[in-house]
């Protein structure tokens, strides 16, 4: 099998980073749009002499809720920023995936998919560059969703087993007409990302994918 | 001119409701729909003059919904209003004769101007 060159890996990293930035920008613009519209409504009600109306109290509640959601997004982005720091040499797989899935929430909702993350009680730290892990997880998650119909589900399970951190993606609800036609070039890049993380990747029947990484304390 | 009927199609409930209330305060007959199915039912029942459509609704390709609304509302105009538009979707939307594209958040003055321009075109098309 011909090796995957650095340029292909760099392209994969850029594509995932661009997709995550796009998801964050989309979500943030939605929060800002709701806040802007809600503030406008409060002003309009005041101008119409209805400042004390029930609508105003409701609008203020909406503002509080939206600010909370925007702050959560900022925390998620901050977590991703730390994970992507050039100096990072290991990472908590569960925390990285929580940040990734936080950003992917709307993406999943638009596809009528449910994504459930199961993490162990204690951090499952693995060695390697977290940027590579995020890129690999993003690629696998995106492709796991492709054959799923509305109402499909992906369970993402993180487990620590002795010296290994195991991350499993288990999709269910695959459309009957969706054939198994994995793109071998994509899989080669996925395997290379896992190799560069010091781990390995296993593709199983039913779209199940498992990443095995060396655990660190 | 009678009050214009505006249908807001957006799965961000709070956004659609606040915008609907603001448009009603300005004299529009504005309603909100949060899903594609609700949008089609509301379009059939209300025959809105203008639809403000977010293409990023759950479980449906936005461009397909735009096409269906176009068929359902030959005299209505559709304005795409989205927090994020894929350039390909924007091009496709314009090709499918959406009246315009606005990015959220949008200034009320700009939105009203667009709604009025869309309504004028809809009335003029209906008169032909």
């Amino acid at each position: 099998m011909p090796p995957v060159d650095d340029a292909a890996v760099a392209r994969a990293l850029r594509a995932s980073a661009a997709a995550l930035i796009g998801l964050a920008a989309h979500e943030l613009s939605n929060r800002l749009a709701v806040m802007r519209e809600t503030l406008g409504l409060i002003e309009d009600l005041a101008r119409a002499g209805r400042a004390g109306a029930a609508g105003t109290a409701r609008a203020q509640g909406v503002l509080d809720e939206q600010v909370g959601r925007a702050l959560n997004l900022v925390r998620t982005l901050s977590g991703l920023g730390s994970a992507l720091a050039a100096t990072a040499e290991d990472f908590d797989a569960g925390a990285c995936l929580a940040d990734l899935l936080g950003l992917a929430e709307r993406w999943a909702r638009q596809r009528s998919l449910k994504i459930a993350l199961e993490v162990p009680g204690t951090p499952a730290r693995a060695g390697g560059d977290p940027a590579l892990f995020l890129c690999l997880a993003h690629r696998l998650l995106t492709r796991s969703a492709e054959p799923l119909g509305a109402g499909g589900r992906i369970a993402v399970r993180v487990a620590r087993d002795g010296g290994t951190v195991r991350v499993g993606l288990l999709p269910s609800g695959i459309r009957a007409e969706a054939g198994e036609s994995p793109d071998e070039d994509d899989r080669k890049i996925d395997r290379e990302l896992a190799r560069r993380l010091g781990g390995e990747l296993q593709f199983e029947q039913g779209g199940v994918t498992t990443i095995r990484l060396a655990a660190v304390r | 001119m009678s009050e214009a009927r505006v249908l807001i199609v957006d799965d961000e409930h709070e956004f659609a409701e606040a915008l609907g209330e603001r448009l009603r305060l300005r004299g529009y007959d504005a309603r909100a729909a949060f899903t594609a199915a609700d949008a089609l039912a509301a379009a059939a029942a209300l025959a809105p003059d203008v639809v403000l459509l977010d293409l990023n609704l759950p479980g449906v390709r936005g461009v397909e919904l735009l096409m269906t609304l176009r068929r359902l509302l030959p005299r209505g105009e559709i304005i795409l209003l989205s927090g994020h538009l894929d350039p390909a979707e924007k091009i496709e939307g314009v090709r499918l004769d959406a009246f315009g594209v606005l990015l959220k958040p949008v200034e009320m003055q700009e939105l009203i101007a667009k709604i009025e321009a869309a309504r004028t075109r809809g009335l003029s098309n209906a008169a032909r």
Side-chain angles (χ1 to χ4, degrees):
Chain A
M1 190 191 294
V4 176
D5 61 19
D6 287 348
V9 172
R11 274 196 302 276
L13 281 167
R14 277 203 307 273
S16 283
L20 294 183
I21 289 168
L23 289 172
H26 189 179
E27 184 58 18
L28 199 51
S29 74
N30 276 326
R31 290 315 114 231
L32 290 172
V34 177
M35 286 188 237
R36 162 81 70 88
E37 222 50 61
T38 309
L39 276 171
L41 175 59
I42 291 172
E43 285 168 12
D44 287 353
L45 288 170
R47 212 171 286 134
R50 290 167 52 192
T56 307
R58 198 168 55 241
Q60 279 163 346
V62 169
L63 269 183
D64 280 346
E65 193 247 341
Q66 295 296 316
V67 169
R69 286 175 68 179
L71 283 173
N72 277 341
L73 179 66
V74 169
R75 284 188 201 105
T76 298
L77 285 171
S78 172
L80 279 174
S82 303
L84 295 174
T87 51
E89 289 172 355
D90 60 68
F91 55 91
D92 174 2
C96 279
L97 286 165
D99 288 338
L100 173 65
L101 298 184
L103 286 183
E105 206 176 294
R106 185 176 181 81
W107 168 86
R109 203 166 59 239
Q110 281 174 345
R111 287 155 183 79
S112 303
L113 299 178
K114 291 248 183 297
I115 304 178
L117 175 63
E118 298 165 29
V119 294
T122 53
R125 299 200 73 82
D129 180 345
L132 292 173
F133 176 69
L134 278 168
C135 175
L136 176 59
H138 174 251
R139 289 168 58 85
L140 295 175
L141 183 70
T142 307
R143 286 214 309 286
S144 290
E146 278 170 11
L148 301 186
R153 189 173 185 277
I154 302 172
V156 181
R157 288 188 189 142
V158 182
R160 188 171 170 149
D161 183 8
T164 304
V165 170
R166 213 173 50 245
V167 178
L169 280 85
L170 300 90
S172 55
I174 294 175
R175 284 179 283 116
E177 70 273 20
E180 282 226 10
S181 54
D183 184 320
E184 279 310 317
D185 286 340
D186 277 334
R187 285 192 166 183
K188 266 199 286 189
I189 293 172
D190 296 338
R191 286 201 170 93
E192 178 63 15
L193 288 167
R195 191 191 67 77
R196 290 183 185 205
L197 281 162
E200 60 179 29
L201 198 56
Q202 196 175 350
F203 297 104
E204 297 161 41
Q205 292 247 319
V208 174
T209 310
T210 306
I211 311 169
R212 283 191 176 77
L213 303 167
V216 295
R217 288 190 184 277
Chain B
M1 215 187 282
S2 63
E3 63 180 13
R5 291 181 302 271
V6 179
L7 176 63
I8 303 156
V9 184
D10 200 309
D11 66 323
E12 287 283 345
H13 290 222
E14 295 87 357
F15 175 82
E17 281 169 356
L19 179 57
E21 182 65 24
R22 296 188 75 195
L23 289 174
R24 283 193 291 278
L25 285 167
R26 285 164 174 79
Y28 291 94
D29 176 5
R31 313 281 178 92
F34 311 122
T35 65
D38 287 349
L40 294 175
L46 306 171
D49 302 297
V50 178
V51 178
L52 302 176
L53 174 65
D54 184 356
L55 287 181
N56 295 299
L57 290 186
V60 66
R61 281 195 62 232
V63 169
E64 281 172 18
L65 179 59
L66 169 59
M67 285 164 66
T68 309
L69 284 168
R70 252 291 82 312
R71 282 196 297 273
L72 203 58
L73 301 169
R75 293 178 182 181
E77 295 292 341
I78 299 169
I79 297 169
L80 304 183
L81 179 58
S82 197
H84 171 87
L85 262 185
D86 187 298
E89 279 186 325
K90 184 172 172 176
I91 292 165
E92 189 65 0
V94 171
R95 190 183 73 75
L96 292 168
D97 202 23
F99 183 77
V101 180
L102 293 173
L103 268 183
K104 290 194 280 191
V106 62
E107 290 291 341
M108 182 53 79
Q109 217 172 351
E110 186 188 357
L111 179 62
I112 297 281
K114 202 75 167 174
I115 289 173
E116 286 306 314
R119 189 188 183 199
T120 303
R121 183 170 88 165
L123 289 172
S124 123
N125 286 346
R128 277 186 201 156

